[in-house]
């Protein structure tokens, strides 16, 4: 993912936000803020190379969970797929690429918080080796409604 992908990445993020079940965010941030918080070596886009022109189908990126050195190997990630590309294993492709890049960098844990209503995301994460740690009940108010968040993590079998 580079600056070239800015508009489509933020548009896919906006479409995910619009579902009401992807994030507590209500608007995507500006590009400078978006890129400043995501690790540059672990940001990926999936493109459709068969199209007349390259079309971005989805993206994934991660952020450190803390700046404390003890958590240097723990990140939280996001994965978003354009509505027109759902059901094509784009999310799985992106998540596997993120897992490979983070393991190569020595990151030992990837975590995610998913609304329980987002069953497709839960299935995706479990299929890629994430396990459910638990549910944070009523952790945040979203559009006037208190929401639970399922906490998932994947511990690398090779990075430590």
């Amino acid at each position: 993912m580079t600056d070239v992908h800015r508009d489509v990445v933020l548009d896919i993020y906006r479409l995910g936000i619009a579902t009401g079940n992807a994030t507590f965010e209500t608007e995507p941030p500006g590009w400078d803020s978006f890129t400043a918080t995501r690790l540059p070596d672990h940001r990926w886009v999936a493109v459709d190379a068969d199209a007349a022109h390259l079309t971005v189908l989805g993206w994934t990126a991660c952020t450190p969970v803390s700046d404390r050195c003890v958590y240097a190997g723990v990140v939280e990630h996001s994965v978003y797929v354009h509505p027109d590309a759902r059901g094509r294993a784009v999310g799985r492709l992106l998540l596997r690429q993120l897992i490979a890049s983070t393991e190569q960098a020595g990151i030992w844990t990837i975590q995610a918080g998913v609304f329980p209503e987002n069953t497709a995301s839960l299935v995706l994460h479990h299929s890629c080796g994430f396990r459910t740690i638990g549910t944070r009940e009523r952790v945040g108010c979203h559009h006037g409604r208190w929401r639970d968040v399922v906490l998932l993590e994947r511990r690398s079998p090779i990075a430590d």
Side-chain angles (χ1 to χ4, degrees):
M1 178 191 308
T2 67
D3 290 347
V4 171
H5 305 110
R6 167 187 42 220
D7 293 339
V8 70
V9 164
L10 293 179
D11 189 51
I12 291 170
Y13 195 14
R14 181 188 56 75
L15 291 167
I17 290 169
T19 68
N21 286 326
T23 179
F24 280 109
E25 299 296 334
T26 56
E27 293 290 331
W31 184 249
D32 290 342
S33 177
F34 180 92
T35 59
T37 58
R38 277 126 180 123
L39 296 172
D41 293 335
H42 309 293
R43 302 181 317 174
W44 303 98
V45 292
V47 297
D48 186 350
D50 294 331
H53 60 283
L54 295 180
T55 303
V56 175
L57 305 174
W59 62 268
T60 189
C62 62
T63 59
V65 298
S66 174
D67 59 0
R68 294 178 60 202
C69 64
V70 70
Y71 294 110
V74 184
V75 296
E76 181 173 13
H77 85 286
S78 298
V79 58
Y80 284 80
V81 176
H82 192 283
D84 295 342
R86 291 186 185 141
R88 295 174 51 187
V90 172
R92 185 171 289 111
L93 173 75
L94 286 164
L95 203 43
R96 286 183 177 159
Q97 180 60 43
L98 180 70
I99 290 166
S101 73
T102 55
E103 284 185 335
Q104 186 176 13
I107 293 171
W108 59 83
T109 300
I110 305 172
Q111 67 182 41
V114 177
F115 290 135
E117 297 84 0
N118 194 343
T119 55
S121 184
L122 293 171
V123 169
L124 167 65
H125 283 86
H126 288 137
S127 75
C128 289
F130 284 74
R131 67 186 179 104
T132 297
I133 301 301
T135 300
R136 300 179 72 197
E137 296 177 356
R138 297 173 47 88
V139 71
C141 192
H142 182 243
H143 298 297
R145 180 175 135 220
W146 286 95
R147 302 290 298 265
D148 295 348
V149 173
V150 178
L151 183 60
L152 302 134
E153 78 170 13
R154 182 187 183 278
R155 293 286 309 223
S156 171
I158 62 171
D160 57 3

